Amino acid sequence: MDVSVQEIVEAMQAHGGELHGDGSIRVARIAALEHATADSISFLSNPRFADLLDSTPVACLIVAPAMLDAASKPGRACIVTDNPYAWYAHFTQWWKRRTRPAPEHHIHPSAVVHPEAEVHETAIIGPLCVVERGARVGAHSWLKSRVQLSEGCSVGERCIIHPGAVIGADGFGFALVKGGGWTKIEQLGAVRIGNDVEIGANTCVDRGAIDDTVIEDGVKLDNLIQIAHNVHLGRNVAMAANAGIAGSTTVEEGVTIGGAANIMGHSRLVKGVNVSATTFVSRSILKPGTYSGHFPFDDNASWEKNAAVVRQLSKLRERVRSLERQLSEQQQ
């Protein structure tokens, strides 16, 4: 695609952005600043990369007001906005609509959709998807290839579910029976997904045991995530790849969970919590803040004793320092 900067600004006027420089400059590609060429548009949101401004031949830069003077140079246009990264995100959506049109098929010929499923006429069901009886897909949602939407589960409007995701498989429910072995607890709930949700490739969201598993509006899930039965994710929760949440856990609005983090079941994470990558959360977090850490495994009794000691390390350190000061004073 080849387009003028002026045309871009006009197309993006709903998101603001003020043009500085020659609007007739044309761009043909989006590029990271360090790889930009003379026909590229790029953005600068992190001042750490400001030293690239003089050396890059980029044709157009999306920048914050504070960076305009540093970014401006002859032959370069700038689009100034208070939040360059968010403006860039909206811009990529416009660019994709221009360069990668939506699939031709409303329901791909290879997809299997049960006659009693409900698929909105604007939704897209991709190749090899399965939509079972009683499932529902809302307006403008897109199930990409090999997505499984199980019986009775629902997807809201403007959702994107990436290849291989499974929505509504049975939760992990078994009861130990006399004499050993396990008997299955039938999973009778469903999965309810709100609007504007995005679910990554090969992520699994299990149906509830009795009540439904719930994913509210705006949730973003990366690839290879496990959401167990009866989990409730509040609005705009975001989780990175390989994270997992055990059953009956509530994660409140806006919580972020880093890659490969693990959340124990029957816990609660309140609004304002940020869980760092690879962190193991063994209990509810009821105070907003950022939480990090993982403790090596051991036999359970030893692990619990050691964990208790680790939580007292700060106090122990202060006691040691106090004793050292007393000893030093006695020796003088």
Side-chain angles (χ1 to χ4, degrees):
M1 186 169 74
D2 182 84
V3 61
S4 73
V5 175
Q6 182 66 45
E7 183 179 351
I8 291 172
V9 172
E10 291 174 356
M12 295 290 294
Q13 60 182 345
H15 305 288
E18 182 178 325
L19 174 61
H20 289 255
D22 185 357
S24 67
I25 291 174
R26 306 189 71 81
V27 297
R29 58 192 293 264
I30 301 174
L33 191 57
E34 60 268 35
H35 303 301
T37 56
D39 62 349
S40 300
I41 181 171
S42 187
F43 72 97
L44 176 68
S45 63
N46 191 329
R48 290 189 306 166
F49 299 105
D51 58 349
L52 296 173
L53 292 176
D54 289 335
S55 60
T56 180
V58 65
C60 180
L61 267 174
I62 305 160
V63 296
M67 297 302 301
L68 175 60
D69 289 344
S72 298
K73 63 184 299 186
R76 175 186 295 167
C78 291
I79 299 171
V80 179
T81 173
D82 290 336
N83 189 336
Y85 197 49
W87 199 96
Y88 162 76
H90 291 296
F91 171 59
T92 62
Q93 296 169 22
W94 176 83
W95 188 276
K96 183 177 180 179
R97 288 193 295 271
R98 294 278 298 262
T99 58
R100 302 181 189 177
E104 296 178 1
H105 298 286
H106 163 50
I107 298 176
H108 193 275
S110 66
V112 178
V113 178
H114 194 279
E116 296 178 27
E118 178 185 341
V119 178
H120 193 275
E121 61 183 7
T122 62
I124 298 171
I125 309 299
L128 302 175
C129 288
V130 175
V131 181
E132 294 187 347
R133 182 179 62 187
R136 184 180 66 82
V137 183
H140 303 288
S141 287
W142 186 357
L143 276 58
K144 298 196 174 183
S145 60
R146 297 178 292 102
V147 171
Q148 167 87 24
L149 184 62
S150 299
E151 184 176 12
C153 298
S154 63
V155 174
E157 299 180 357
R158 299 176 302 278
C159 295
I160 300 173
I161 303 182
H162 289 277
V166 177
I167 311 300
D170 279 358
F172 191 68
F174 300 91
L176 187 64
V177 297
K178 186 177 180 179
W182 303 90
T183 187
K184 182 177 179 62
I185 301 170
E186 292 296 343
Q187 305 293 289
L188 305 177
V191 176
R192 289 187 286 120
I193 296 174
N195 301 328
D196 303 298
V197 171
E198 186 156 350
I199 296 177
N202 295 319
T203 284
C204 295
V205 182
D206 290 347
R207 65 173 59 247
I210 299 176
D211 297 326
D212 294 342
T213 300
V214 176
I215 298 178
E216 294 191 22
D217 296 352
V219 169
K220 310 300 181 189
L221 303 180
D222 200 354
N223 303 331
L224 295 166
I225 286 174
Q226 166 65 26
I227 305 297
H229 56 189
N230 298 109
V231 166
H232 189 127
L233 301 183
R235 291 171 56 88
N236 298 322
V237 166
M239 295 178 59
N242 290 302
I245 302 182
S248 299
T249 290
T250 297
V251 181
E252 294 186 0
E253 177 181 350
V255 168
T256 61
I257 298 174
N262 290 286
I263 317 297
M264 287 288 284
H266 298 272
S267 55
R268 186 179 196 90
L269 278 62
V270 301
K271 182 178 179 180
V273 165
N274 304 295
V275 177
S276 299
T278 73
T279 296
F280 173 57
V281 177
S282 60
R283 64 187 187 279
S284 293
I285 302 178
L286 304 179
K287 181 180 178 181
T290 298
Y291 294 83
S292 307
H294 194 90
F295 200 78
F297 80 93
D298 200 345
D299 69 88
N300 192 68
S302 297
W303 186 91
E304 288 183 344
K305 291 177 182 178
N306 290 331
V309 170
V310 167
R311 295 185 66 178
Q312 300 298 318
L313 281 180
S314 179
K315 293 180 180 178
L316 289 172
R317 181 184 63 179
E318 294 306 315
R319 290 179 62 188
V320 169
R321 286 180 173 176
S322 177
L323 290 170
E324 287 177 338
R325 283 195 298 267
Q326 293 177 24
L327 180 61
S328 177
E329 291 171 357
Q330 290 174 2
Q331 292 175 344
Q332 289 178 356

